[in-house]
PDB file of all heavy atoms in Angstrom:
ATOM      1  N   GLY A1397     -27.874  18.697  14.982  1.00 62.00           N
ATOM      2  CA  GLY A1397     -29.197  19.241  14.682  1.00 62.00           C
ATOM      3  C   GLY A1397     -30.231  18.178  14.389  1.00 62.00           C
ATOM      4  O   GLY A1397     -31.318  18.469  13.955  1.00 62.00           O
ATOM      5  N   ALA A1398     -29.894  16.912  14.619  1.00 52.00           N
ATOM      6  CA  ALA A1398     -30.822  15.836  14.296  1.00 52.00           C
ATOM      7  C   ALA A1398     -31.758  15.545  15.430  1.00 52.00           C
ATOM      8  O   ALA A1398     -32.410  14.546  15.431  1.00 52.00           O
ATOM      9  CB  ALA A1398     -30.066  14.564  13.954  1.00 52.00           C
ATOM     10  N   ILE A1399     -31.824  16.386  16.373  1.00 51.00           N
ATOM     11  CA  ILE A1399     -32.664  16.130  17.506  1.00 51.00           C
ATOM     12  C   ILE A1399     -34.002  15.682  16.924  1.00 51.00           C
ATOM     13  O   ILE A1399     -34.999  16.333  17.014  1.00 51.00           O
ATOM     14  CB  ILE A1399     -32.739  17.302  18.476  1.00 51.00           C
ATOM     15  CG1 ILE A1399     -33.312  16.892  19.779  1.00 51.00           C
ATOM     16  CG2 ILE A1399     -33.409  18.458  17.927  1.00 51.00           C
ATOM     17  CD1 ILE A1399     -32.791  17.621  20.934  1.00 51.00           C
ATOM     18  N   ALA A1400     -33.852  14.671  16.194  1.00 48.00           N
ATOM     19  CA  ALA A1400     -34.876  13.915  15.512  1.00 48.00           C
ATOM     20  C   ALA A1400     -35.848  14.754  14.734  1.00 48.00           C
ATOM     21  O   ALA A1400     -37.029  14.544  14.773  1.00 48.00           O
ATOM     22  CB  ALA A1400     -35.566  13.016  16.479  1.00 48.00           C
ATOM     23  N   GLY A1401     -35.307  15.706  14.048  1.00 55.00           N
ATOM     24  CA  GLY A1401     -36.135  16.503  13.158  1.00 55.00           C
ATOM     25  C   GLY A1401     -37.078  17.440  13.860  1.00 55.00           C
ATOM     26  O   GLY A1401     -37.970  17.993  13.242  1.00 55.00           O
ATOM     27  N   ARG A1402     -36.912  17.637  15.138  1.00 57.00           N
ATOM     28  CA  ARG A1402     -37.826  18.524  15.879  1.00 57.00           C
ATOM     29  C   ARG A1402     -37.372  19.969  15.681  1.00 57.00           C
ATOM     30  O   ARG A1402     -36.756  20.571  16.544  1.00 57.00           O
ATOM     31  CB  ARG A1402     -37.892  18.127  17.344  1.00 57.00           C
ATOM     32  CG  ARG A1402     -38.459  16.737  17.515  1.00 57.00           C
ATOM     33  CD  ARG A1402     -38.584  16.350  18.963  1.00 57.00           C
ATOM     34  NE  ARG A1402     -39.045  14.986  19.076  1.00 57.00           N
ATOM     35  CZ  ARG A1402     -40.319  14.622  19.092  1.00 57.00           C
ATOM     36  NH1 ARG A1402     -41.261  15.519  18.999  1.00 57.00           N
ATOM     37  NH2 ARG A1402     -40.638  13.355  19.194  1.00 57.00           N
ATOM     38  N   GLN A1403     -37.721  20.500  14.519  1.00 69.00           N
ATOM     39  CA  GLN A1403     -37.273  21.831  14.132  1.00 69.00           C
ATOM     40  C   GLN A1403     -38.366  22.888  14.271  1.00 69.00           C
ATOM     41  O   GLN A1403     -38.177  24.018  13.859  1.00 69.00           O
ATOM     42  CB  GLN A1403     -36.793  21.802  12.671  1.00 69.00           C
ATOM     43  CG  GLN A1403     -35.638  20.882  12.441  1.00 69.00           C
ATOM     44  CD  GLN A1403     -34.399  21.345  13.189  1.00 69.00           C
ATOM     45  OE1 GLN A1403     -34.034  22.508  13.124  1.00 69.00           O
ATOM     46  NE2 GLN A1403     -33.774  20.461  13.919  1.00 69.00           N
ATOM     47  N   TRP A1404     -39.473  22.528  14.854  1.00 84.00           N
ATOM     48  CA  TRP A1404     -40.610  23.438  14.927  1.00 84.00           C
ATOM     49  C   TRP A1404     -41.113  23.500  16.355  1.00 84.00           C
ATOM     50  O   TRP A1404     -40.937  22.579  17.129  1.00 84.00           O
ATOM     51  CB  TRP A1404     -41.711  22.953  13.978  1.00 84.00           C
ATOM     52  CG  TRP A1404     -41.140  22.664  12.626  1.00 84.00           C
ATOM     53  CD1 TRP A1404     -40.753  21.447  12.142  1.00 84.00           C
ATOM     54  CD2 TRP A1404     -40.793  23.612  11.624  1.00 84.00           C
ATOM     55  NE1 TRP A1404     -40.213  21.586  10.896  1.00 84.00           N
ATOM     56  CE2 TRP A1404     -40.223  22.901  10.550  1.00 84.00           C
ATOM     57  CE3 TRP A1404     -40.917  24.992  11.528  1.00 84.00           C
ATOM     58  CZ2 TRP A1404     -39.775  23.530   9.393  1.00 84.00           C
ATOM     59  CZ3 TRP A1404     -40.470  25.615  10.371  1.00 84.00           C
ATOM     60  CH2 TRP A1404     -39.920  24.886   9.327  1.00 84.00           C
TER      61      TRP A1404
END
Side-chain angles (χ1 to χ4, degrees):
I1399 195 148
R1402 297 182 184 272
Q1403 299 295 312
W1404 311 97

